[in-house]
Amino acid sequence: MLPDYLSAEGERRCRRLLAGATARLRARPAAAAVLVPLCSVRGVPALLYTLRSSRLVGRHKGDVSFPGGKCDPTDQDVVHTALRETREELGLTVPEEHVWGVLQPVHDRQKATVVPVLAGVGPLDPQSLRPNPKEVDQVFALPLAHLLQEQNQGYTHFCHHGHFSYTLPVFLHGPHRVWGLTAVITEFTLQLLAPGAYQPCLATSKRLTG
C-alpha cells in the first residue's frame, strides 16, 4: 500500500523541504517555468502531463511536457509564469496558495533555465479539461504508483560526436513516453514525494540538472 502523497501531512512535509529553494529561486530570472500538477484521478495520486501540439514550430513539438512556457516580463515571478501558462494552455486555474514550492531548476541544451513549480490541483478528470488546441494535442495523467514501478523506468544515454555525453531518465509504458527534461523533473518530484521508494538516475548530467 503506497502512502497517501496527497495527505495534509505529506503536503506539509514537501512544503517544508521546498521552502528554502522557493524563497531563493522564485524571484530569480529564468527563461521559462512549468507547473508540475499533482492531482487525484478517481482517488489515485497522479501527475498531469500534456502532449505538445504537433503543429507548433520548434524542436519540442509533439513532446510530452508539463504545462508551462517562457517567462513574460509582466509575470511577477516564475510561480506566476507557471500558473499563467497552465491557465492559457489547459484552461485550468490553480490558486497560488495551492503551490507547494519550487523544485530544482533544469537547463536545456541552450543553457536556458527552466524552473519547475509543484502544485496540488486536487481531484481531476483529465478528459474534462479543454486544452488550447494551438498548444496542446492531449492531456493525460500517470499515477504515482505507475511511475514508481521499476519496470516502467529506464534510462536514455546520449552521445556527442561519437562519445558518451550524459544519461537521462525515461518513464515507459504509459500513453506516451516521458523523456528529456520532463523526465528529469518527474524524477525530482518522485524523489521529493517518495523518499526511499525511488532510485534516481545518478548519471543525470549536472549540465542539465545543476
Side-chain angles (χ1 to χ4, degrees):
M1 183 75 176
L2 284 171
D4 181 5
Y5 299 110
L6 301 181
S7 69
E9 180 182 356
E11 179 178 346
R12 284 193 297 270
R13 181 186 66 82
C14 291
R15 284 179 179 268
R16 185 170 63 250
L17 290 172
L18 293 174
T22 301
R24 185 174 71 254
L25 296 170
R26 70 174 292 169
R28 189 177 292 180
V34 299
L35 193 77
V36 184
L38 179 61
C39 60
S40 173
V41 181
R42 293 184 294 276
V44 176
L47 291 179
L48 188 70
Y49 296 88
T50 72
L51 186 67
R52 290 174 62 85
S53 172
S54 57
R55 295 177 293 278
L56 288 170
V57 176
R59 45 190 298 271
H60 296 298
K61 64 180 181 179
D63 284 355
V64 169
S65 68
F66 290 112
K70 293 180 180 179
C71 294
D72 190 286
T74 60
D75 292 332
Q76 182 178 331
D77 53 34
V78 293
V79 170
H80 286 88
T81 296
L83 297 179
R84 174 183 57 76
E85 287 283 345
T86 299
R87 185 172 62 252
E88 292 175 0
E89 291 183 11
L90 303 182
L92 178 62
T93 299
V94 181
E96 187 175 347
E97 58 266 27
H98 289 190
V99 171
W100 290 16
V102 173
L103 297 168
Q104 180 178 343
V106 294
H107 307 283
D108 66 15
R109 292 181 183 177
Q110 286 72 45
K111 308 288 188 181
T113 301
V114 180
V115 180
V117 177
L118 181 66
V121 301
L124 191 67
D125 176 9
Q127 303 308 313
S128 70
L129 296 173
R130 295 293 177 263
N132 181 345
K134 294 181 180 179
E135 299 189 64
V136 177
D137 277 347
Q138 188 179 343
V139 184
F140 66 97
L142 287 176
L144 295 179
H146 172 94
L147 294 166
L148 288 168
Q149 290 176 348
E150 286 189 25
Q151 63 264 35
N152 298 326
Q153 302 166 3
Y155 301 104
T156 304
H157 303 285
F158 293 85
C159 292
H160 184 65
H161 297 312
H163 298 284
F164 171 77
S165 180
Y166 56 92
T167 298
L168 293 181
V170 59
F171 295 90
L172 308 165
H173 307 137
H176 303 281
R177 182 181 61 143
V178 179
W179 69 292
L181 293 188
T182 302
V184 175
I185 296 169
T186 298
E187 181 170 84
F188 291 165
T189 304
L190 294 177
Q191 286 178 265
L192 175 72
L193 294 174
Y198 178 76
Q199 297 301 316
C201 171
L202 297 178
T204 299
S205 169
K206 291 183 179 179
R207 178 172 66 83
L208 285 167
T209 62

